[in-house]
Every structure is written in structure tokens, then in C-alpha cells.
Amino acid sequence: MNVRGMLHEERAELVELLRSLTNEEWETPTLCAGWRVRDLVGHLQTDTVSLPNYLLMTVRAGFAVDRVNQALVDRFAALPPQELVDRLAGSNGWFTRFSPGLALSDMFVHQQDIRRPLGRPRTEIPAGRLLAVLNYPDPFAKPKRYLRGLRWEATDVDWTKGSGPLVRGPGEALALAMVGRTVALADLEGDGVPTLRERCTP
């Protein structure tokens, strides 16, 4: 499985989407609470920051993931959309090299965080890429709290995980639900969905 290749493809698809957005769409709220599209693209600039600078940001944020993420948003807040996209398109730094699986999962979920509010669904997500994300959800989103004690089953790719009450649906919706995106619950079915809904409710 060429995870780095999948990450490059995922990034290229997101860049293509971002280049098509209007100024108003750049200000649209995403599925990440408090972040507009431009804020989320700022967060995705991890690979454009050198590792020493990123580590310094992490120390200054007290090693708190949420604060590090917001620090990235703040760092790039003044850049115009075109520059944000150009930076993202050319990014291939330490994050890609050291943890391509995590970078892919992060990029995938955040692309959907942008697409769903904009009503810009993808016509198709390659099965291999979808399976890679389902098999390695972003650990910083604490997926185990959503996954535990449930059986997950995709309807569009050959993938199942866990045991217990069933949560069944498209792989894209499963990938979002396992990191707590409540909007995906409407696309899922099974006797495990009520339990999952409780876990996703703040």
C-alpha cells in the first residue's frame, strides 16, 4: 500500500477544490467548530512548517494538541487564500515523511469537513484510500471512544471492524463518525447508532 502516494492524491484533490472556491466560500464555517474554510486550510499547513519550529510551537502550547492546532491557524491567518493553497500544494515536509498514514487520515477528514458544509461531495473516493483511512483513524481524535463495543461495517468497500451492536454505512461516513463528526450519523444505520450518537454528543 503506497500511503504516501495516496496522501499526495488526497492533497491534490483538496487543492483542486480550494482553487475553485469563491471568496464567500472561503469564509464558510466547516465541521470543525469555530473554523472557517480558511482557518482549516491554515491548520493543514503542518508540512510547511519546519520540524524545529513545530516542536517550538508545541512546547509553547504546553503540548496541548488543540492549542497547537490553533497556533497553526493563527500563524497563517493573515495569508490570502491563493497563498494558502500554493503552500499546501507544494507541501511535502516532515509530516509526510515521518507519518504519512496520520497525515492521510487528517487530510481526508478535513477535506470532508470542508466539502460537506459547502455541498461539494466527491463523485468517488478510491477504495484503497478509503480503506487506509478506516484502518488508521487519526489517533489524536481519540477514535477508540467512538469505536469501542460496536461492530462497524462499510457498505461500499470490503471493511468491518469490532464486535457488538452494528453501525453500518458508506465508508466516508464511517470515517467521519469514528472521529466524532455528528453530521455523518444521518448516513448510518444499525442498532449501534444510538450508542454512537450519545458518544458524539458533547
Side-chain angles (χ1 to χ4, degrees), residues 31 66 109 134 137-153 159 161-168 173-185 188 191-202:
L31 297 185
D66 289 346
V109 169
L134 289 170
D138 181 353
F140 291 105
K142 301 179 181 178
K144 288 184 180 179
R145 61 180 164 170
Y146 306 110
L147 289 166
R148 70 180 188 278
L150 298 173
R151 174 176 171 79
W152 296 66
E153 181 181 299
W159 182 86
K161 184 181 181 67
S163 60
L166 179 65
V167 175
R168 184 174 185 269
L174 294 177
L176 294 183
M178 65 176 58
V179 292
R181 301 302 194 266
T182 57
V183 69
L185 298 178
L188 303 177
D191 55 348
V193 173
T195 298
L196 179 59
R197 182 174 287 108
E198 288 181 5
R199 294 174 182 176
C200 290
T201 302

Side-chain angles (χ1 to χ4, degrees), residues 71-111:
L72 277 169
V73 172
D74 295 342
R75 183 185 184 105
F76 296 103
L79 295 185
Q82 183 62 52
E83 187 170 346
L84 285 171
V85 179
D86 288 345
R87 288 178 64 91
L88 182 65
S91 62
N92 189 28
W94 62 270
F95 194 27
T96 293
R97 294 195 303 272
F98 295 157
S99 191
L102 174 55
L104 173 60
S105 294
D106 190 57
M107 186 76 65
F108 179 93
V109 169
H110 286 322
Q111 177 159 188

